[in-house]
Amino acid sequence: MNTIKLPSLITLGLFACTACAQDAPEGWSGFLLNNVTVQQSTEDALRNRPSPFRANLVTHTGGRLLDFFTLQFKSGDWSFMGAYSDNRTLGGGSAYSLTNPMTFGVNTVETSGSNREAVDFKSGLQELAATYRKNGTLLMLGKIDTANWYLADPIFSGDLNNGNDYANAATRVVAPPFPSAAVVARQDFGNGLSLTGIVGDAFGDRETINAARNLAQGDLAYVLELNFQDAKQHYQLTLNHIDAFRFYDKDAVWPGPGDKTPQVDAVMVGASYRFDTHWAGFGRISYSKGDAQLEDLNVLAGVRYDLDKFYALLSQSVTRVGTNNTPYQRGAKGDSTWVSELTLNYKVHRLVTVGITYDMLNTSGDALLAKDGGWNGARHNQIVGLRVTSFLPF
């Protein structure tokens, strides 16, 4: 099946989807998520991958505006959902996140025919899927951002259950999510135990319906995750594999025509425990193996403290650089990057939170990675960020 026919079939049969609430009412429902983030660091960082198609973006400031809209229709055991996202930089020439461990920034390359140009936004259809739930079984099929369906941690995710309040915590070495044509299956066994399986396109275009271009070439991704959780504790084992793939968003390819990113395997073990109404602790160990991985081992530990409308998270992580082939030779294989993070959050309203985040980064080597602030050869970096997050269900 070619890349033209498959998205057409998905379009005919499915509707957009994001994380579907178990207790969603019959009929129509939805929500709007808005996030505004601004950041300032003491050192310059590289905020996009080196590319022949655009100048390198190097900055010590960052700004992001994110709006995410989803709409669901539920009838009996079936639900059909749509999601649309707009994610763009704030300010001329700035990058949206200096601390985001999953990306070099929202700035990317857009291909239109034979022309390529730099863009500083991601905007368009994100998900299109149908979901069936019955007796603890969930089955979802469609164009899915699978990042919403694994690595969940409700004990300390905090900010309106979307995780925006712990920035660097826990996912620096995890292979990237693959938001495209996929199947998600989850079985709840009772007593807090569940198993989730995901299979789908190795990556894909988040901004159009043109999914499954990698899948059509036989390039797949897989996740298997075991969870145990109750009101006080959460334990998790996640296995992740991504085949070598070519296509990213906006028709961009890795890193040029005919090339593929190397395959990646990852394993993650996480735990969190709520000691009382005020204190919770969490930790995670992650390891990933792949020739394109800048970092391959991460260990994190942290605590959360709640008091009335305030909650704070404090974490310490250490991550190992996994290659000597780092952007502009900042950092070297075997270096350790230490990230100390403090986030203070205030619930302005049950639907609105404000957060201030402070990160201190240090390296055991001669320089931080370019993405962490080592562009000018610095061994230390400090980052302060302010965000406002709103969640409006309807």
Side-chain angles (χ1 to χ4, degrees), residues 90-350:
L90 293 175
S94 68
Y96 84 88
S97 178
L98 291 166
T99 59
N100 190 325
M102 298 295 290
T103 180
F104 282 77
V106 73
N107 301 270
T108 185
V109 176
E110 185 175 49
T111 302
S112 178
S114 60
N115 298 319
R116 294 177 183 242
E117 61 178 355
V119 293
D120 63 355
F121 64 90
K122 291 183 181 296
S123 182
L125 177 71
Q126 296 285 306
E127 299 179 84
L128 192 67
T131 304
Y132 174 79
R133 284 189 178 88
K134 193 176 183 68
N135 298 328
T137 299
L138 177 148
L139 182 64
M140 177 183 292
L141 173 66
K143 186 176 187 294
I144 302 165
D145 186 347
T146 50
N148 291 326
W149 292 94
Y150 73 105
L151 291 181
D153 199 337
I155 297 296
F156 74 96
S157 62
D159 177 32
L160 309 173
N161 292 321
N162 61 62
N164 281 325
D165 61 359
Y166 62 101
N168 256 316
T171 55
R172 287 177 64 98
V173 306
V174 177
F178 33 93
S180 193
V183 176
V184 177
R186 187 177 71 207
Q187 181 63 52
D188 292 322
F189 298 103
N191 298 319
L193 187 65
S194 67
L195 182 66
T196 299
I198 304 171
V199 60
D201 198 345
F203 208 82
D205 197 327
R206 285 166 285 189
E207 300 163 79
T208 72
I209 193 59
N210 190 22
R213 289 176 297 175
N214 294 307
L215 181 64
Q217 304 300 318
D219 300 329
L220 291 165
Y222 313 88
V223 172
L224 187 65
E225 180 169 276
L226 182 66
N227 280 275
F228 173 79
Q229 67 181 67
D230 57 27
K232 292 191 64 174
Q233 56 196 335
H234 182 206
Y235 307 104
Q236 184 175 76
L237 171 64
T238 307
L239 304 175
N240 191 3
H241 170 82
I242 299 180
D243 286 345
F245 65 91
R246 180 185 179 196
F247 292 103
Y248 275 110
D249 296 313
K250 295 179 178 287
D251 291 325
V253 293
W254 172 284
D259 296 323
K260 285 186 174 182
T261 177
Q263 70 178 27
V264 178
D265 294 283
V267 58
M268 293 145 278
V269 179
S272 56
Y273 188 85
R274 179 159 290 283
F275 301 101
D276 54 37
T277 58
H278 297 297
W279 289 98
F282 55 89
R284 179 172 287 156
I285 301 175
S286 308
Y287 175 76
S288 71
K289 182 179 180 181
D291 291 340
Q293 292 297 107
L294 279 178
E295 299 163 299
D296 61 3
L297 177 66
N298 173 256
V299 180
L300 169 118
V303 293
R304 170 173 170 161
Y305 181 75
D306 292 78
L307 181 63
D308 297 326
K309 293 185 177 183
F310 288 93
Y311 59 100
L313 292 102
L314 176 65
S315 67
Q316 177 65 59
S317 67
V318 58
T319 308
R320 185 176 66 187
V321 178
T323 178
N324 284 316
N325 186 26
T326 61
Y328 298 93
Q329 303 304 305
R330 305 298 192 268
K333 184 175 182 179
D335 288 353
S336 296
T337 304
W338 296 80
V339 182
S340 305
E341 181 171 275
L342 172 63
T343 302
L344 178 63
N345 303 277
Y346 178 72
K347 300 174 185 178
V348 180
H349 183 270
R350 67 184 183 88

Side-chain angles (χ1 to χ4, degrees), residues 7 14 16 40 63 95 294 365:
L14 303 168
Q40 178 77 36
L294 279 178

